[in-house]
Amino acid sequence: MRPSQPNLLFVMSDDHAAHAISAYTSRTAPGGPSDPERPQINHTPNLDRIAAGGMRFDACFCTNSICTPSRASVLTGTYNHVNGVTTLVTPMDNTLDTFPKQLQAAGYQTALFGKWHLGHGPEHDPTGFDRWRVLPGQGHYHNPVMLQPRPDGRGHTIVERGGYVTDLITDDALAWLDTRDPDRPFAMLVHHKAPHRSWEPSREHFTLFDDIDIPEPSTLWDDHEGRAEVVRSMRMRLMDLDPVIDLKASIPPGLSEDDEVRWRYQRYIKDYLRTIASIDDNVGRLLDRLDDEGIADDTVVVYTSDQGFFLGDHGWFDKRMMYEESVAMPLLVRYPPMIAPGSVCGEIALNVDFAPTFLELAGVDVPDEVQGTSLSPLLRGERPDDWQQSMYYRYWMHDDGIHRVPAHYGVRTRTHKLIGYYNDPLGQTGARRSDDPPEWELFDLVADPHELHNVIGDAVYRDVALELHAELQRLQSEVGDLPHPGAEAEFSRLLSIG
Ligand code: CA
């Protein structure tokens, strides 16, 4: 018997940049050369199966490029100033309404396996799931411990697991599918730890790429000329990677600095991609199961990541920034009854849009509190005239003392991006204060897709800057967030307003 509501298989990895999925990089004809601007750096045949059978979103963005906040936005459909999860140290109130709770109340069987990372302690355990087993905090790649509910329902208990984390999470997901009631729909969330730092591969992939060099990004040697001073002083350069923890090797003696950067890039990117090879294998196991059970047509399959990642782009690793490689999320969705195979969508989609999408596909009313918009018209191939043409972004976690990324907010349209670095922790517990003055950046994404030329001070772009700033104010008002007085004063000064 076919469930009247579709199943949902939601796979979300951690820090998986879209440009490390071959469906996103092989944009020339099959078998042809890869785009030199976006070189193909790996092959992900199983993730590509989702893209080939469904839709690839090319303009999906997170509203705050950091793990815990993005996860909260995905689950609740709200921005971080609303759900309260603005930083890594602001746990989610697990009494908040989420799409799994809504689906559970609508009769779905719900389960969560893998990374949760929305707070420590039993008061922050997952809620809304019939079954869950998660990693504590970041968790470990090899022989991880996991948490699951105590049989009496009071708090959690710790389970020791032998094996590799990506395999184990998938094992748990497949085992749960065996035990479910096939006559009721399910919503299963599979949250991989990989490819999060410190990029530790499985045994099967230890030597993958040993005999090749991975192509370098075109912006590897970006000198950050003309960018905000706070951006130029961030500590996300490849030279900031830890040789022991991140690169797992001593620096070879005698290298020039350029050669050391190249060596570091290869050490870093190969381990990153090795952990993704394991994700790809394991997504294949899940897709095969849907095929074997004959439920692929009844199941919405989603692959995404909580944010993007710099893969040596601009000479950086990590995320946090509103720059493209970090703010972009991969989003692949397959649902044969609704989505044309091999389709591509360039409309703006956001992490806050996921929850209302899943609810609408399940025929469940979207609560008024949800701020996102259902993507279902886009999935059907429609392009509504009033579809969102811009997005609001805010990174709250000012200068964590490690990456030194400043607090900032901004707006991205289809053609431009305006970013205000307000450099203020705004009462964040334990955050470092700085004396850095506010700064602004403006990028013309059509003329400068790699965001190398900050044109905020260019008179040619004055009208564009004013238009974008007005749009930023409109979006802040719409979502209920507040502008920063210091940053706004600096914008007025720069544009000689008032
Ligand atoms: Ca993440």
Side-chain angles (χ1 to χ4, degrees):
M1 172 183 159
R2 283 191 163 191
S4 57
Q5 295 168 302
N7 304 309
L8 173 65
L9 169 59
F10 177 79
V11 184
M12 180 166 69
S13 55
D14 192 347
D15 296 0
H16 189 173
H19 52 309
I21 295 175
S22 44
Y24 274 93
T25 50
S26 48
R27 293 184 181 180
T28 55
S34 68
D35 177 356
E37 293 293 310
R38 294 288 258 197
Q40 188 166 342
I41 58 172
N42 63 338
H43 184 47
T44 51
N46 290 299
L47 301 181
D48 293 6
R49 279 165 72 183
I50 305 173
M55 181 172 283
R56 185 188 81 202
F57 284 80
D58 281 356
C60 181
F61 304 110
C62 58
T63 51
N64 182 358
S65 180
I66 190 84
C67 305
T68 306
S70 184
R71 285 156 194 273
S73 287
V74 165
L75 288 166
T76 61
T78 59
Y79 288 79
N80 294 136
H81 61 281
V82 171
N83 58 47
V85 188
T86 51
T87 72
L88 288 178
V89 294
T90 46
M92 189 171 85
D93 175 351
N94 70 1
T95 66
L96 286 177
D97 201 7
T98 62
F99 80 81
K101 285 182 191 174
Q102 290 280 336
L103 294 179
Q104 189 182 44
Y108 273 70
Q109 302 165 85
T110 59
L112 163 71
F113 302 105
K115 187 170 173 180
W116 176 242
H117 201 203
L118 285 159
H120 297 286
E123 71 275 23
H124 298 298
D125 280 345
T127 47
F129 301 99
D130 302 342
R131 175 95 171 97
W132 58 265
R133 182 184 271 172
V134 298
L135 297 163
Q138 294 286 2
H140 291 281
Y141 275 101
H142 292 277
N143 297 340
V145 298
M146 295 185 179
L147 310 178
Q148 66 184 37
R150 284 165 51 106
D152 62 7
R154 299 169 62 182
H156 58 237
T157 187
I158 294 175
V159 192
E160 296 194 21
R161 308 292 301 280
Y164 186 66
V165 68
T166 310
D167 299 332
L168 294 170
I169 290 167
T170 309
D171 292 347
D172 287 347
L174 290 170
W176 182 74
L177 288 178
D178 286 339
T179 65
R180 78 185 198 283
D181 173 2
D183 292 332
R184 287 195 296 136
F186 68 82
M188 184 167 71
L189 282 57
V190 181
H191 289 186
H192 286 301
K193 168 189 172 53
H196 192 279
R197 194 178 190 179
S198 51
W199 315 297
E200 297 169 38
S202 72
R203 181 179 294 275
E204 298 97 292
H205 300 110
F206 274 164
T207 58
L208 185 65
F209 310 119
D210 261 5
D211 51 352
I212 61 165
D213 282 340
I214 307 295
E216 295 172 355
S218 62
T219 60
L220 179 65
W221 304 105
D222 182 5
D223 62 4
H224 311 137
E225 182 71 32
R227 257 55 59 76
E229 286 300 322
V230 285
V231 170
R232 303 185 71 173
S233 60
M234 294 189 316
R235 292 189 184 156
M236 303 202 305
R237 298 173 197 233
L238 295 176
M239 292 299 276
D240 296 318
L241 286 165
D242 186 282
V244 175
I245 295 169
D246 297 322
L247 305 178
K248 303 116 186 161
S250 302
I251 308 295
L255 294 180
S256 67
E257 181 164 331
D258 283 1
D259 282 346
E260 183 176 334
V261 167
R262 291 192 178 95
W263 179 85
R264 281 170 173 264
Y265 170 73
Q266 294 297 329
R267 289 292 302 183
Y268 155 57
I269 197 67
K270 285 183 180 181
D271 271 349
Y272 179 88
L273 296 177
R274 286 165 181 144
T275 71
I276 289 169
S278 182
I279 291 175
D280 190 74
D281 290 349
N282 278 289
V283 167
R285 294 172 67 200
L286 291 169
L287 297 179
D288 288 347
R289 170 61 67 89
L290 301 183
D291 291 343
D292 293 346
E293 284 200 35
I295 56 172
D297 281 355
D298 307 319
T299 305
V300 179
V301 178
V302 179
Y303 185 82
T304 189
S305 168
D306 53 356
Q307 6 66 212
F309 217 67
F310 294 107
L311 307 181
D313 312 282
H314 301 283
W316 292 326
F317 66 99
D318 215 77
K319 58 248 183 182
R320 302 163 193 271
M321 291 286 287
M322 200 188 164
Y323 282 27
E324 289 295 275
E325 294 85 354
S326 159
V327 72
M329 303 166 78
L331 178 61
L332 307 172
V333 187
R334 188 184 80 179
Y335 183 39
M338 178 186 259
I339 305 172
S343 50
V344 175
C345 180
E347 299 293 328
I348 291 177
L350 303 174
N351 57 358
V352 292
D353 299 335
F354 290 15
T357 304
F358 303 150
L359 294 177
E360 189 173 326
L361 292 177
V364 176
D365 289 341
V366 178
D368 291 343
E369 294 75 23
V370 168
Q371 296 179 290
T373 309
S374 170
L375 303 173
S376 58
L378 304 181
L379 296 172
R380 285 192 295 266
E382 299 164 10
R383 297 291 181 272
D385 291 340
D386 59 351
W387 192 255
Q388 54 200 358
Q389 297 296 305
S390 63
M391 59 87 61
Y392 177 60
Y393 181 86
R394 184 161 187 173
Y395 175 76
W396 297 74
M397 198 170 167
H398 180 71
D399 188 359
D400 63 353
I402 301 168
H403 306 82
R404 308 294 299 271
V405 176
H408 56 287
Y409 56 57
V411 58
R412 187 200 190 282
T413 66
R414 294 167 69 98
T415 55
H416 294 84
K417 185 183 292 180
L418 178 70
I419 311 174
Y421 300 95
Y422 60 88
N423 308 335
D424 185 344
L426 286 175
Q428 291 163 42
T429 306
R432 299 154 59 94
R433 294 209 157 269
S434 78
D435 298 323
D436 295 317
E439 296 175 88
W440 289 80
E441 289 180 338
L442 172 63
F443 295 105
D444 180 340
L445 300 176
V446 177
D448 177 30
H450 296 300
E451 300 168 303
L452 297 170
H453 305 289
N454 174 20
V455 295
I456 189 67
D458 188 333
V460 171
Y461 284 92
R462 178 181 163 82
D463 288 348
V464 172
L466 292 172
E467 280 171 27
L468 259 80
H469 186 254
E471 181 64 4
L472 174 62
Q473 290 180 312
R474 188 190 71 78
L475 288 171
Q476 277 181 326
S477 172
E478 182 177 283
V479 304
D481 200 9
L482 296 172
H484 185 274
E488 297 308 311
E490 172 60 11
F491 185 84
S492 296
R493 190 195 68 76
L494 274 170
L495 276 290
S496 305
I497 303 168

